[in-house]
Coordinates of all heavy atoms in Angstrom, one line a residue:
M1457 N 116.0 113.2 104.9 CA 116.1 113.2 103.4 C 115.7 114.5 102.9 O 114.8 115.2 103.4 CB 115.2 112.1 102.9 CG 115.4 111.9 101.4 SD 114.3 110.6 100.6 CE 114.5 109.2 101.6
N1458 N 116.4 114.9 101.8 CA 116.1 116.2 101.2 C 114.7 116.2 100.7 O 114.2 115.3 100.2 CB 117.1 116.4 100.1 CG 117.1 117.8 99.5 OD1 116.2 118.6 99.9 ND2 118.0 118.1 98.7
T1459 N 114.0 117.4 100.8 CA 112.6 117.5 100.3 C 112.5 117.3 98.9 O 111.5 116.6 98.4 CB 112.1 118.9 100.7 OG1 112.3 119.1 102.1 CG2 110.6 119.1 100.4
S1460 N 113.3 117.8 98.0 CA 113.2 117.6 96.6 C 113.4 116.2 96.2 O 112.8 115.7 95.3 CB 114.2 118.5 95.8 OG 115.5 118.2 96.2
L1461 N 114.3 115.5 96.9 CA 114.5 114.1 96.7 C 113.3 113.3 97.1 O 112.9 112.3 96.4 CB 115.8 113.6 97.4 CG 116.1 112.1 97.2 CD1 116.5 111.9 95.7 CD2 117.3 111.7 98.1
T1462 N 112.7 113.7 98.1 CA 111.4 113.0 98.6 C 110.3 113.2 97.5 O 109.6 112.3 97.2 CB 111.0 113.6 99.9 OG1 112.0 113.4 100.9 CG2 109.7 112.9 100.4
V1463 N 110.2 114.4 97.0 CA 109.2 114.7 96.0 C 109.5 113.8 94.7 O 108.5 113.2 94.2 CB 109.2 116.2 95.6 CG1 108.3 116.4 94.4 CG2 108.6 117.0 96.8
V1464 N 110.7 113.8 94.3 CA 111.0 113.0 93.1 C 110.8 111.5 93.3 O 110.2 110.9 92.4 CB 112.5 113.3 92.6 CG1 113.0 112.3 91.6 CG2 112.7 114.7 92.2
L1465 N 111.2 111.0 94.4 CA 111.0 109.6 94.7 C 109.5 109.3 94.9 O 109.1 108.2 94.5 CB 111.8 109.2 95.9 CG 113.3 109.1 95.7 CD1 114.0 108.7 97.1 CD2 113.7 108.1 94.7
G1466 N 108.8 110.2 95.4 CA 107.3 110.1 95.6 C 106.7 110.0 94.2 O 105.8 109.2 94.0
I1467 N 107.1 110.8 93.3 CA 106.5 110.8 91.9 C 106.8 109.5 91.3 O 106.0 108.8 90.6 CB 107.0 112.0 91.1 CG1 106.4 113.3 91.7 CG2 106.7 111.8 89.6 CD1 107.0 114.5 91.1
V1468 N 108.1 109.0 91.4 CA 108.5 107.7 90.9 C 107.7 106.6 91.5 O 107.2 105.7 90.8 CB 110.0 107.5 91.0 CG1 110.4 106.1 90.7 CG2 110.8 108.5 90.2
A1469 N 107.5 106.7 92.8 CA 106.7 105.6 93.5 C 105.3 105.6 93.1 O 104.6 104.6 93.2 CB 106.8 105.8 95.0
I1470 N 104.7 106.7 92.6 CA 103.4 106.8 92.1 C 103.3 106.3 90.7 O 102.3 105.5 90.3 CB 102.8 108.2 92.2 CG1 102.6 108.6 93.7 CG2 101.5 108.3 91.5 CD1 102.3 110.0 93.9
L1471 N 104.2 106.6 89.9 CA 104.2 106.2 88.4 C 104.6 104.8 88.2 O 104.1 104.2 87.3 CB 105.1 107.2 87.6 CG 104.6 108.6 87.5 CD1 105.6 109.4 86.8 CD2 103.2 108.7 86.9
F1472 N 105.5 104.2 89.0 CA 106.0 102.9 88.8 C 104.8 101.9 88.9 O 104.7 101.0 88.0 CB 107.0 102.5 89.9 CG 107.6 101.2 89.7 CD1 108.4 100.8 88.7 CD2 107.4 100.2 90.7 CE1 108.9 99.6 88.5 CE2 107.9 98.9 90.6 CZ 108.7 98.6 89.5
P1473 N 103.9 101.9 89.8 CA 102.8 101.0 89.8 C 101.9 101.1 88.6 O 101.3 100.1 88.2 CB 102.0 101.3 91.1 CG 102.9 102.0 92.0 CD 103.9 102.7 91.1
L1474 N 101.8 102.3 88.1 CA 101.0 102.5 86.9 C 101.6 101.8 85.7 O 100.8 101.1 84.9 CB 100.8 104.0 86.5 CG 100.0 104.8 87.5 CD1 100.1 106.3 87.1 CD2 98.6 104.3 87.6
F1475 N 102.9 101.8 85.5 CA 103.5 101.1 84.4 C 103.5 99.6 84.6 O 103.2 98.9 83.7 CB 105.0 101.6 84.3 CG 105.1 103.0 83.8 CD1 105.8 103.9 84.5 CD2 104.5 103.4 82.6 CE1 106.0 105.2 84.1 CE2 104.7 104.7 82.2 CZ 105.4 105.6 82.9
I1476 N 103.7 99.2 85.8 CA 103.6 97.7 86.1 C 102.2 97.2 86.0 O 102.0 96.1 85.5 CB 104.2 97.4 87.5 CG1 105.7 97.8 87.6 CG2 104.0 96.0 87.9 CD1 106.6 97.1 86.6
G1477 N 101.2 98.0 86.4 CA 99.8 97.6 86.3 C 99.4 97.5 84.8 O 98.7 96.6 84.4
R1478 N 100.0 98.4 84.0 CA 99.7 98.3 82.5 C 100.3 97.0 82.0 O 99.7 96.3 81.1 CB 100.3 99.5 81.8 CG 100.0 99.6 80.4 CD 100.5 100.9 79.8 NE 100.2 100.9 78.4 CZ 101.1 100.7 77.4 NH1 102.4 100.4 77.8 NH2 100.8 100.7 76.2
L1479 N 101.5 96.7 82.4 CA 102.1 95.4 81.9 C 101.3 94.2 82.4 O 101.2 93.2 81.6 CB 103.6 95.3 82.4 CG 104.6 96.2 81.7 CD1 105.9 96.1 82.4 CD2 104.7 95.9 80.3
V1480 N 100.9 94.2 83.6 CA 100.1 93.1 84.2 C 98.8 93.0 83.4 O 98.4 91.9 83.0 CB 99.8 93.3 85.7 CG1 98.7 92.3 86.1 CG2 101.0 93.2 86.5
W1481 N 98.1 94.1 83.1 CA 96.9 94.1 82.3 C 97.1 93.5 80.9 O 96.3 92.7 80.4 CB 96.3 95.5 82.2 CG 95.1 95.6 81.4 CD1 94.9 95.8 80.1 CD2 93.8 95.4 82.0 NE1 93.5 95.8 79.8 CE2 92.8 95.5 80.9 CE3 93.3 95.2 83.3 CZ2 91.5 95.4 81.1 CZ3 91.9 95.1 83.5 CH2 91.0 95.2 82.4
Q1482 N 98.2 93.8 80.2 CA 98.5 93.3 78.9 C 98.9 91.9 78.9 O 98.6 91.1 78.0 CB 99.6 94.1 78.3 CG 99.3 95.6 77.9 CD 100.4 96.4 77.4 OE1 101.6 96.0 77.6 NE2 100.1 97.5 76.8
R1483 N 99.6 91.4 79.9 CA 100.1 90.0 79.9 C 99.2 89.1 80.6 O 99.4 87.9 80.6 CB 101.5 90.0 80.6 CG 102.5 90.9 79.9 CD 103.9 90.5 80.3 NE 104.9 91.5 79.9 CZ 105.3 91.8 78.7 NH1 104.7 91.4 77.7 NH2 106.3 92.7 78.5
F1484 N 98.1 89.6 81.2 CA 97.2 88.7 82.0 C 96.6 87.7 81.0 O 96.4 86.5 81.4 CB 96.1 89.5 82.6 CG 95.2 88.8 83.6 CD1 95.6 88.6 84.9 CD2 94.0 88.2 83.2 CE1 94.9 87.9 85.8 CE2 93.3 87.5 84.1 CZ 93.7 87.4 85.4
D1485 N 96.2 88.1 79.8 CA 95.6 87.1 78.9 C 96.6 86.0 78.5 O 96.2 84.8 78.4 CB 95.2 87.8 77.6 CG 94.1 88.8 77.8 OD1 93.4 88.7 78.8 OD2 94.0 89.8 77.0
H1486 N 97.9 86.3 78.4 CA 98.9 85.3 78.1 C 99.0 84.3 79.2 O 99.1 83.1 78.9 CB 100.2 86.0 77.8 CG 101.3 85.0 77.5 ND1 101.4 84.3 76.4 CD2 102.4 84.7 78.3 CE1 102.5 83.6 76.4 NE2 103.1 83.8 77.6
Y1487 N 99.0 84.7 80.4 CA 99.2 83.8 81.5 C 97.9 83.1 82.0 O 98.0 81.9 82.3 CB 99.8 84.5 82.7 CG 101.2 85.1 82.4 CD1 101.5 86.4 82.6 CD2 102.2 84.2 81.9 CE1 102.7 86.9 82.4 CE2 103.4 84.7 81.7 CZ 103.7 86.1 81.9 OH 104.9 86.6 81.6
F1488 N 96.8 83.7 82.0 CA 95.6 83.2 82.5 C 94.4 83.0 81.5 O 93.3 82.6 81.9 CB 95.1 84.0 83.7 CG 96.1 84.2 84.8 CD1 96.8 85.4 85.0 CD2 96.4 83.1 85.6 CE1 97.7 85.5 86.0 CE2 97.3 83.2 86.6 CZ 98.0 84.4 86.8
G1489 N 94.6 83.4 80.3 CA 93.6 83.4 79.3 C 93.2 82.0 78.8 O 92.1 81.8 78.3
K1490 N 94.0 81.0 78.9 CA 93.8 79.7 78.5 C 93.5 79.5 77.0 O 92.9 78.6 76.6 CB 92.6 79.0 79.3 CG 92.8 79.1 80.8 CD 91.5 78.5 81.5 CE 91.6 78.8 82.9 NZ 90.3 78.4 83.6
N1491 N 93.9 80.6 76.2 CA 93.6 80.6 74.8 C 92.2 80.3 74.4 O 91.9 79.7 73.4 CB 94.5 79.6 74.1 CG 96.0 80.0 74.1 OD1 96.3 81.2 74.2 ND2 96.9 79.1 74.2
D1492 N 91.3 80.7 75.3 CA 89.8 80.5 75.0 C 89.2 81.8 74.9 O 88.9 82.5 76.0 CB 89.2 79.7 76.2 CG 87.8 79.3 76.0 OD1 87.3 79.6 74.9 OD2 87.2 78.8 76.9
Q1493 N 88.8 82.3 73.7 CA 88.3 83.6 73.5 C 86.9 83.7 74.2 O 86.5 84.8 74.7 CB 88.2 83.9 72.0 CG 87.9 85.4 71.7 CD 89.0 86.3 72.2 OE1 90.1 86.0 72.2 NE2 88.6 87.5 72.7
A1494 N 86.1 82.7 74.2 CA 84.8 82.7 74.8 C 84.9 82.9 76.3 O 84.2 83.7 76.9 CB 84.0 81.4 74.6
Y1495 N 85.9 82.3 77.0 CA 86.2 82.5 78.4 C 86.7 83.9 78.6 O 86.3 84.6 79.6 CB 87.2 81.5 78.9 CG 87.6 81.7 80.3 CD1 86.7 81.6 81.4 CD2 88.9 82.1 80.6 CE1 87.1 81.9 82.7 CE2 89.4 82.3 81.9 CZ 88.5 82.2 82.9 OH 88.9 82.5 84.2
M1496 N 87.6 84.4 77.8 CA 88.2 85.7 78.0 C 87.2 86.9 77.7 O 87.5 88.0 78.1 CB 89.4 85.9 77.1 CG 90.5 85.0 77.5 SD 92.0 84.8 76.5 CE 92.1 86.3 75.5
D1497 N 86.0 86.6 77.1 CA 85.0 87.6 76.9 C 84.0 87.7 78.0 O 83.0 88.4 77.9 CB 84.3 87.4 75.6 CG 85.2 87.7 74.4 OD1 86.2 88.5 74.6 OD2 85.0 87.2 73.3
T1498 N 84.1 86.9 79.1 CA 83.1 86.9 80.1 C 83.4 88.0 81.2 O 84.5 88.5 81.3 CB 83.1 85.5 80.9 OG1 84.4 85.3 81.5 CG2 82.8 84.4 79.9
L1499 N 82.4 88.3 81.9 CA 82.5 89.3 83.0 C 83.4 88.8 84.1 O 84.2 89.5 84.7 CB 81.1 89.7 83.5 CG 81.1 90.7 84.7 CD1 81.6 92.0 84.2 CD2 79.7 90.8 85.2
E1500 N 83.3 87.5 84.4 CA 84.1 86.9 85.4 C 85.6 87.1 85.1 O 86.4 87.4 86.0 CB 83.8 85.4 85.6 CG 84.6 84.7 86.6 CD 84.4 83.2 86.5 OE1 83.5 82.7 85.7 OE2 85.0 82.5 87.3
Y1501 N 86.0 86.8 83.9 CA 87.4 86.9 83.5 C 87.8 88.4 83.6 O 88.9 88.7 84.1 CB 87.6 86.4 82.1 CG 89.0 86.5 81.6 CD1 90.0 85.6 82.1 CD2 89.4 87.5 80.8 CE1 91.3 85.7 81.7 CE2 90.7 87.6 80.3 CZ 91.6 86.7 80.8 OH 92.9 86.8 80.4
F1502 N 87.0 89.3 83.2 CA 87.3 90.7 83.2 C 87.5 91.2 84.7 O 88.4 92.0 85.0 CB 86.2 91.6 82.5 CG 86.4 93.0 82.6 CD1 87.4 93.7 81.9 CD2 85.7 93.8 83.5 CE1 87.6 95.0 82.0 CE2 85.9 95.2 83.6 CZ 86.8 95.8 82.9
L1503 N 86.6 90.8 85.5 CA 86.7 91.2 86.9 C 87.9 90.6 87.6 O 88.6 91.3 88.4 CB 85.4 90.8 87.7 CG 84.2 91.5 87.3 CD1 83.0 91.0 88.1 CD2 84.3 93.0 87.5
K1504 N 88.3 89.4 87.3 CA 89.5 88.8 87.8 C 90.8 89.6 87.3 O 91.7 89.9 88.0 CB 89.7 87.3 87.3 CG 88.8 86.4 88.1 CD 89.0 85.0 87.5 CE 88.1 84.0 88.2 NZ 88.3 82.6 87.7
K1505 N 90.7 89.9 86.0 CA 91.8 90.7 85.4 C 91.9 92.1 86.1 O 93.0 92.5 86.4 CB 91.6 90.8 83.9 CG 92.7 91.5 83.1 CD 92.3 91.5 81.6 CE 93.3 92.1 80.8 NZ 93.0 92.1 79.4
L1506 N 90.8 92.7 86.3 CA 90.8 94.0 86.9 C 91.2 94.0 88.3 O 92.1 94.8 88.8 CB 89.4 94.6 86.8 CG 89.1 96.0 87.3 CD1 89.9 97.0 86.5 CD2 87.7 96.4 87.3
A1507 N 90.7 93.0 89.1 CA 91.1 92.9 90.5 C 92.6 92.6 90.7 O 93.3 93.1 91.5 CB 90.3 91.8 91.2
F1508 N 93.1 91.7 89.8 CA 94.5 91.3 89.9 C 95.4 92.5 89.6 O 96.4 92.8 90.3 CB 94.8 90.1 89.0 CG 96.2 89.6 89.2 CD1 96.6 88.9 90.3 CD2 97.2 89.8 88.2 CE1 97.9 88.4 90.5 CE2 98.5 89.3 88.3 CZ 98.8 88.6 89.5
T1509 N 95.1 93.3 88.6 CA 95.8 94.5 88.2 C 95.8 95.5 89.3 O 96.8 96.1 89.7 CB 95.3 95.0 86.9 OG1 95.3 94.0 85.9 CG2 96.1 96.2 86.5
I1510 N 94.6 95.8 89.9 CA 94.5 96.7 91.0 C 95.3 96.3 92.2 O 96.0 97.1 92.9 CB 93.0 97.0 91.3 CG1 92.4 97.8 90.2 CG2 92.9 97.7 92.6 CD1 90.9 97.9 90.3
L1511 N 95.2 95.0 92.5 CA 96.0 94.4 93.7 C 97.5 94.6 93.5 O 98.2 95.1 94.4 CB 95.6 93.0 93.8 CG 96.3 92.3 95.0 CD1 95.8 92.8 96.3 CD2 96.1 90.8 94.9
V1512 N 98.0 94.3 92.3 CA 99.4 94.4 92.1 C 99.8 95.9 92.2 O 100.8 96.2 92.8 CB 99.8 93.8 90.7 CG1 101.2 94.2 90.3 CG2 99.7 92.3 90.8
A1513 N 99.1 96.8 91.5 CA 99.4 98.2 91.5 C 99.3 98.8 92.9 O 100.2 99.6 93.3 CB 98.5 98.9 90.6
F1514 N 98.3 98.4 93.7 CA 98.2 98.9 95.1 C 99.3 98.4 96.0 O 99.9 99.2 96.8 CB 96.9 98.5 95.7 CG 96.7 99.0 97.1 CD1 96.4 100.3 97.3 CD2 96.8 98.1 98.2 CE1 96.3 100.8 98.6 CE2 96.6 98.6 99.5 CZ 96.4 99.9 99.7
I1515 N 99.7 97.2 95.8 CA 100.8 96.7 96.7 C 102.1 97.4 96.3 O 102.9 97.8 97.2 CB 101.0 95.1 96.5 CG1 99.8 94.4 97.2 CG2 102.3 94.6 97.0 CD1 99.7 92.9 96.9
L1516 N 102.4 97.6 95.0 CA 103.6 98.3 94.6 C 103.5 99.8 95.1 O 104.6 100.3 95.5 CB 103.8 98.3 93.1 CG 104.2 96.9 92.6 CD1 104.2 96.9 91.1 CD2 105.5 96.5 93.2
L1517 N 102.4 100.4 95.0 CA 102.2 101.8 95.5 C 102.5 101.9 97.0 O 103.2 102.7 97.5 CB 100.8 102.3 95.2 CG 100.5 103.7 95.6 CD1 101.4 104.7 94.9 CD2 99.1 104.0 95.4
W1518 N 101.9 100.9 97.7 CA 102.1 100.9 99.2 C 103.6 100.7 99.6 O 104.1 101.4 100.4 CB 101.2 99.8 99.8 CG 101.3 99.6 101.2 CD1 101.3 100.6 102.2 CD2 101.3 98.4 102.0 NE1 101.3 100.1 103.4 CE2 101.3 98.7 103.3 CE3 101.3 97.1 101.6 CZ2 101.4 97.8 104.3 CZ3 101.4 96.1 102.6 CH2 101.4 96.5 103.9
L1519 N 104.2 99.8 98.9 CA 105.6 99.5 99.2 C 106.5 100.7 98.8 O 107.4 101.1 99.6 CB 106.1 98.3 98.4 CG 105.6 97.0 98.9 CD1 106.1 95.8 98.0 CD2 106.1 96.7 100.3
G1520 N 106.2 101.3 97.7 CA 107.0 102.5 97.2 C 106.8 103.7 98.2 O 107.8 104.3 98.5
M1521 N 105.6 103.9 98.6 CA 105.3 105.1 99.5 C 105.9 104.8 100.8 O 106.4 105.7 101.5 CB 103.8 105.4 99.6 CG 103.3 106.0 98.4 SD 104.1 107.6 98.2 CE 103.6 108.0 96.5
S1522 N 105.8 103.6 101.3 CA 106.4 103.3 102.6 C 108.0 103.4 102.6 O 108.6 103.8 103.6 CB 106.0 102.0 103.1 OG 106.4 100.9 102.3
L1523 N 108.6 103.1 101.4 CA 110.0 103.2 101.3 C 110.4 104.7 101.2 O 111.4 105.1 101.8 CB 110.5 102.5 100.1 CG 110.6 101.0 100.2 CD1 111.0 100.3 98.9 CD2 111.5 100.5 101.3
V1524 N 109.7 105.5 100.5 CA 110.0 106.9 100.3 C 109.8 107.7 101.6 O 110.7 108.5 102.0 CB 109.1 107.5 99.2 CG1 109.2 109.0 99.2 CG2 109.5 107.0 97.8
F1525 N 108.7 107.4 102.3 CA 108.5 108.2 103.5 C 108.9 107.5 104.8 O 108.5 108.0 105.9 CB 107.0 108.6 103.5 CG 106.6 109.5 102.4 CD1 105.8 109.0 101.4 CD2 107.1 110.8 102.3 CE1 105.4 109.8 100.3 CE2 106.7 111.6 101.3 CZ 105.9 111.1 100.3
H1526 N 109.6 106.5 104.7 CA 110.1 105.8 106.0 C 111.1 106.8 106.7 O 112.1 107.1 106.1 CB 110.8 104.5 105.6 CG 111.4 103.8 106.8 ND1 110.6 103.2 107.7 CD2 112.6 103.6 107.2 CE1 111.3 102.7 108.6 NE2 112.6 102.9 108.4
G1527 N 110.8 107.1 107.9 CA 111.7 108.0 108.7 C 111.6 109.4 108.4 O 112.4 110.2 108.8
N1528 N 110.6 109.9 107.6 CA 110.4 111.3 107.3 C 109.4 112.0 108.2 O 109.2 113.2 107.9 CB 110.0 111.5 105.8 CG 111.1 111.4 104.8 OD1 112.3 111.4 105.3 ND2 110.8 111.3 103.6
A1529 N 108.9 111.4 109.2 CA 108.0 112.0 110.1 C 108.8 112.8 111.1 O 109.2 112.3 112.1 CB 107.1 111.0 110.7
A1530 N 108.9 114.1 110.8 CA 109.7 114.9 111.7 C 108.9 115.9 112.4 O 108.1 116.6 112.0 CB 110.8 115.6 111.0

């Protein structure tokens, strides 16, 4: 693969999980918040939200990087 194409795809593979992680963070309350403000203000809820967002972003980053650099070990 061309080096400049690898760089561009690598940047996209890094930025894509950031955008998706931001969407997950924003929509987490809608899906898992149970419309209970007292529950959503707890440390337990915040840690679940943080862990789920990091997990999704890391999985997407891992998949993106493995797709970009698959077969580039020359």
Side-chain angles (χ1 to χ4, degrees):
M1457 188 182 307
N1458 191 353
T1459 305
S1460 60
L1461 182 63
T1462 302
V1463 170
V1464 170
L1465 289 177
I1467 291 170
V1468 169
I1470 290 170
L1471 293 178
F1472 182 68
L1474 292 175
F1475 291 124
I1476 298 301
R1478 184 173 179 260
L1479 287 174
V1480 168
W1481 183 268
Q1482 290 175 345
R1483 301 197 196 296
F1484 191 85
D1485 296 338
H1486 175 70
Y1487 297 125
F1488 301 107
K1490 304 176 188 173
N1491 293 328
D1492 183 8
Q1493 191 63 35
Y1495 172 67
M1496 290 172 24
D1497 288 339
T1498 61
L1499 179 63
E1500 176 188 0
Y1501 180 76
F1502 176 74
L1503 291 177
K1504 284 180 185 179
K1505 186 176 179 179
L1506 184 65
F1508 187 70
T1509 303
I1510 290 172
L1511 179 67
V1512 167
F1514 179 73
I1515 288 172
L1516 289 175
L1517 179 66
W1518 181 41
L1519 289 173
M1521 285 298 162
S1522 60
L1523 287 174
V1524 168
F1525 294 111
H1526 178 73
N1528 279 348

